[in-house]
Amino acid sequence: MNYLQDLKTTPGLPPQKYWIHSSGNDLVRKCINFVDAMPVGKKIATLIQGGSVSQAVREEMTYRDLYSSEDALWTLLYTTGYLTRVSCTKKWSDSEEVLLRIPNREVYTIFRDDISAWFKDLPEKTDLADLVNAFWNGDEQKVTQTLSSALLCKTSFHDGTHVGKEGFYHAWLLGFFAHNKFEISSNIESGAGRPDILIDDEKKKRSLIIELKYTAQKAQLASEADKALSQIAENQYDAPLLAKKRTVIRWGLAFSQKQCLAKCLTAAR
């Protein structure tokens, strides 16, 4: 329908990728943040070159399973139509191994232009360790500088569609924590609301609560970061964690296009 509407005003307009920035694609991007980029990236390259890949898929996968494994990513790509089945090679009680390929030219352009770019946006391992440590240490300057530098050098907003959407920064930030041995929760109920990101380090009895804000005005970054911290306090996101004798580090992150400002408060156990 979108294409027909556009065709009325622009006769001869070729078909567009109207669904590439839908909510379903946000899920795909989040899943990519939780996989080992090198082996999965090679399989993506095989698909772009016209080949097929053999992968296990679970058609009864739940939302809770989305970020659990590489199989979850391939299942999501298959069930959302990014990939189509060529044949079934193995079958188990709760899953099956199938040969997958890109179904058509439209989806091929999405793999070539968008999904491959998402893999390039993933942070380097050295960035991961430094940034994660800065979060645990409450180092506002380090977090601000690292995230701003990564946004400037390693992300692409393409035609600008993502700019202004907190979901983009949310998914991107999750990638920094994906390969660490922490329990990661996104928009899960805690206290009187749902914090954007909650990271729990069971071994050291400490937790991170991260709330994100976006503003179109760079001059408002500081005030938006303050609002994020206030939201954590007002909704008592850390109450269940403090009751478990956790040290809770609260983070308010404000973004404006390719700039970030981070503020932190630590709550004693």
Side-chain angles (χ1 to χ4, degrees), residues 242 246-248 266-269:
L242 293 173
R246 291 282 199 276
T247 293
V248 180
T266 300
R269 31 181 122 178

Side-chain angles (χ1 to χ4, degrees), residues 43-51 102 108 111-113 115-116:
K43 294 173 185 177
I44 294 295
T46 297
L47 291 168
I48 292 174
Q49 292 166 7
I102 296 174
Y108 162 77
F111 270 89
R112 183 194 64 196
D113 299 338
I115 293 180
S116 60

Side-chain angles (χ1 to χ4, degrees), residues 63-95:
Y63 185 85
R64 184 181 294 273
D65 300 324
L66 274 177
Y67 313 123
S68 61
S69 67
E70 180 184 329
D71 290 347
L73 171 63
W74 294 107
T75 298
L76 184 62
L77 289 171
Y78 172 55
T79 56
T80 53
Y82 280 102
L83 296 173
T84 190
R85 175 202 303 249
V86 177
S87 63
C88 177
T89 56
K90 295 179 183 178
K91 195 171 183 65
W92 300 281
S93 59
D94 60 344
S95 63

Side-chain angles (χ1 to χ4, degrees), residues 109-225:
T109 61
I110 293 171
F111 270 89
R112 183 194 64 196
D113 299 338
D114 296 278
I115 293 180
S116 60
W118 295 345
F119 276 92
K120 292 177 183 177
D121 288 347
L122 292 178
E124 300 291 338
K125 288 185 178 180
T126 53
D127 296 333
L128 292 174
D130 289 346
L131 181 64
V132 170
N133 287 334
F135 269 105
W136 288 119
N137 294 333
D139 190 337
E140 294 180 345
Q141 183 177 6
K142 181 70 173 179
V143 171
T144 295
Q145 290 177 344
T146 302
L147 291 180
S148 294
S149 177
L151 283 168
L152 185 64
C153 301
K154 297 180 181 179
T155 59
S156 170
F157 292 116
H158 305 295
D159 60 356
T161 308
H162 289 305
V163 178
K165 294 185 178 180
E166 289 180 18
F168 167 80
Y169 301 99
H170 188 148
W172 175 75
L173 186 62
L174 282 171
F176 284 94
F177 293 94
H179 303 293
N180 290 275
K181 295 181 179 180
F182 306 126
E183 182 178 343
I184 304 171
S185 303
S186 178
N187 292 316
I188 193 170
E189 186 172 343
S190 183
R194 295 177 181 271
D196 286 330
I197 300 173
L198 195 156
I199 312 291
D200 193 48
D201 183 354
E202 174 65 29
K203 185 176 181 180
K204 295 187 177 181
K205 303 298 181 184
R206 59 183 183 174
S207 302
L208 299 174
I209 294 179
I210 305 172
E211 193 66 28
L212 287 70
K213 298 293 180 184
Y214 177 83
T215 175
Q217 305 297 324
K218 294 178 182 179
Q220 295 178 0
L221 281 169
S223 61
E224 289 299 317

